Amino acid sequence: MSHAPLPDSGFLEDWAARLRQAAERPVVGILLRGSHARRAATAHSDVDLDVLVGGAPYEARRAYLAESAGRLTHVSVAARDVRSWVHRLGEPADWAFGLPVTAPARRLWADPHWRPRIDLPVLCQPAEPPRLEELIATLGKAAAARAADDHLGIRLAVADLARLCPSVLRPANPSVRVISRRAAFAAALELPVAPPRYREDMLLCLGLRPGSTGQLWAAAVRLVAGTLPLIRPYAEEIADAAGSDLADALTDGRLDRYVAQLARPASQPPRPRREPSPVPAPRAGQWVTVPVPDAPVTGVPSDPTGPTAPVPARPSQLDPAIAARLRRTADGLVAAVVRAHDSGEVLMVAWMDDEALHRTLTTGRATYWSRSRREYWVKGATSGHHQYVRSVALDCDGDALLVSVDQVGAACHTGHRTCFYTELPVTGPEARP
């Protein structure tokens, strides 16, 4: 795609002067924003200008078609009082899918008094807090529309639900900043820690892929039900945004039961209630545990009579071609040796079953199986010591994996960079100093 150059200085100066003269209030600054400020404009791009004025709270929008060298350009002008404009930089952007924003800007003119506060090369806005309460409420609206056979209502509700989902998943994902609505949408679709079929379900709910209302409803339920276990370690952040009861409901299982209740057809009687086992709120240094999703069982040995270990009982979506090459222990596990991608330093050893390997390969986050707790855990989900996977290799016998990662912080739970920090004396005759 060819990019158009920034509007020439004469064009911009003329418009800055015109807007200063036509303004209803004293102008204190004029900024160029949008694709031209990002140097990503095309021949069809608008020129987006912010006009900052003094006085009481004020907001207005104007649009112009400016002709230059025989070509028309759409000039979009947003006028706002300078104090509320500065205040707005501290609030989330409504177009960014809940993600933080760093958008380039270019000052065209500024009053000397206000220049230090508005002459900013980039305009930063924070992320939204995780809007879990709105996500659950929107699923309820979709359920109500489904019960009323309101197909349009279902489509509207699940589209709103999909827009909320990235903000709820944000605490579980690496930090990312966006510069435009298009970039925000792309980042929202590519979150590495997300429910199964996340991208497909997001596109379906947003109306960007065709689907029946039944398919949309199923996608919405998958998004919400799959999000809950991923954000459970971040209950404290949920409590800050929506209150302690919703955070408690997230950790003690009530929220999962409520989503299951919404998912049942209205004619289906509720299942007998079973008290969930208590799930303690996670503390720093603990691993996050993720329930195993319902999925087809893979990992069938290529030769059931050979020395390969028995098929793991836990369901998995691992590629059968990969699963057939694994030689597992009696409890269905393969050793995973983890090393730093940049230095090759060995960091730790853990265990993976088929599903842990599948999640590691498809989410880019190192995921393991705890033999003592019999649960999955994602490295760094609560401690912040994340492992971002760069490559995974299988050894010649198929009974060990080499996982190369970008390690954030310490790999060892003791706080050491590596688990192999204890040197043992080697005293054999061939030992060298």
Side-chain angles (χ1 to χ4, degrees):
M1 179 184 294
S2 61
H3 295 297
L6 282 170
D8 63 64
S9 58
F11 179 93
L12 294 173
E13 288 171 3
D14 289 346
W15 268 94
R18 175 177 175 179
L19 293 171
R20 289 172 62 192
Q21 293 171 0
E24 301 173 5
R25 302 185 180 202
V27 177
V28 300
I30 300 176
L31 296 167
L32 177 68
R33 299 188 64 178
S35 58
H36 284 287
R38 298 194 304 272
R39 299 185 180 274
T42 71
H44 307 292
S45 297
D46 302 340
V47 175
D48 297 299
L49 299 174
D50 277 5
V51 177
L52 309 181
V53 301
Y58 170 79
E59 184 175 1
R61 297 195 69 89
R62 299 286 187 272
Y64 305 87
L65 285 177
E67 187 166 4
S68 176
R71 183 175 181 82
L72 293 172
T73 300
H74 176 208
V75 180
S76 178
V77 179
R80 180 182 286 273
D81 68 284
V82 64
R83 287 181 174 81
S84 68
W85 182 88
V86 171
H87 175 75
R88 191 176 183 182
L89 293 181
E91 300 176 343
D94 56 9
W95 48 263
F97 289 87
L99 302 174
V101 172
T102 301
R106 175 184 169 188
R107 173 181 57 82
L108 301 180
W109 180 87
D111 177 89
H113 173 73
W114 281 98
R115 182 173 298 174
R117 298 191 64 182
I118 65 176
D119 190 5
L120 304 172
V122 292
L123 305 180
C124 299
Q125 293 180 261
E128 279 187 335
R131 298 172 63 184
L132 179 59
E133 191 277 332
E134 291 93 333
L135 185 74
I136 298 300
T138 306
L139 184 64
K141 292 177 181 177
R146 177 171 173 256
D149 202 25
D150 179 1
H151 291 192
L152 182 58
I154 292 175
R155 292 182 182 275
L156 290 172
V158 300
D160 289 340
L161 183 148
R163 294 186 188 97
L164 290 165
C165 203
S167 82
V168 180
L169 285 167
R170 182 188 55 77
N173 280 274
S175 178
V176 60
R177 287 187 170 272
V178 297
I179 62 174
S180 67
R181 186 180 184 188
R182 177 66 181 83
F185 181 48
L189 289 179
E190 299 301 331
L191 294 178
V193 180
R197 300 179 60 179
Y198 168 75
R199 179 186 175 91
E200 176 186 344
D201 288 341
M202 285 284 289
L203 292 172
L204 192 60
C205 288
L206 289 168
L208 299 177
R209 283 188 178 172
S212 66
T213 53
Q215 290 173 320
L216 265 66
W217 166 249
V221 171
R222 280 195 300 269
L223 283 174
V224 177
T227 292
L228 296 183
L230 299 177
I231 63 167
R232 193 163 284 128
Y234 307 94
E236 289 185 8
E237 194 168 342
I238 299 297
D240 291 340
S244 59
D245 187 73
L246 189 66
D248 290 343
L250 176 63
T251 57
D252 66 20
R254 281 179 290 146
L255 209 47
D256 299 84
R257 295 207 323 269
Y258 181 64
V259 170
Q261 175 181 300
L262 291 175
R264 284 196 301 270
S267 58
Q268 180 179 331
R271 297 175 181 175
R273 177 177 173 179
R274 293 187 303 168
E275 291 296 332
S277 58
V279 180
R283 299 185 299 276
Q286 288 184 320
W287 304 118
V288 57
T289 60
V290 182
V292 181
D294 293 332
V297 174
T298 63
V300 178
S302 56
D303 180 7
T305 64
T308 308
V311 179
R314 292 175 293 276
S316 175
Q317 298 182 46
L318 182 64
D319 182 343
I322 297 175
R325 299 180 62 184
L326 299 179
R327 293 172 61 89
R328 308 169 189 84
T329 64
D331 50 357
L333 302 175
V334 174
V337 179
V338 185
R339 70 175 180 180
H341 174 74
D342 52 357
S343 66
E345 179 184 22
V346 176
L347 300 174
M348 57 180 280
V349 175
W351 294 94
M352 290 185 183
D353 67 354
D354 288 35
E355 179 61 15
L357 177 57
H358 167 72
R359 297 185 190 188
T360 298
L361 294 173
T362 58
T363 68
R365 299 287 292 277
T367 304
Y368 307 105
W369 175 257
S370 170
R371 294 178 298 173
S372 59
R373 296 188 302 273
R374 304 197 61 76
E375 295 171 327
Y376 293 104
W377 52 277
V378 180
K379 178 66 172 175
T382 55
S383 67
H385 298 164
H386 302 287
Q387 287 178 350
Y388 299 113
V389 179
R390 298 293 295 271
S391 66
V392 179
L394 181 64
D395 85 334
C396 56
D397 293 325
D399 57 1
L401 298 160
L402 181 62
V403 185
S404 296
V405 302
D406 288 329
Q407 175 70 52
V408 177
C412 183
H413 73 282
T414 63
H416 289 81
R417 164 73 179 175
T418 170
C419 293
F420 299 94
Y421 59 86
T422 303
E423 292 281 348
L424 300 179
V426 179
T427 58
E430 300 300 323
R432 295 184 178 182

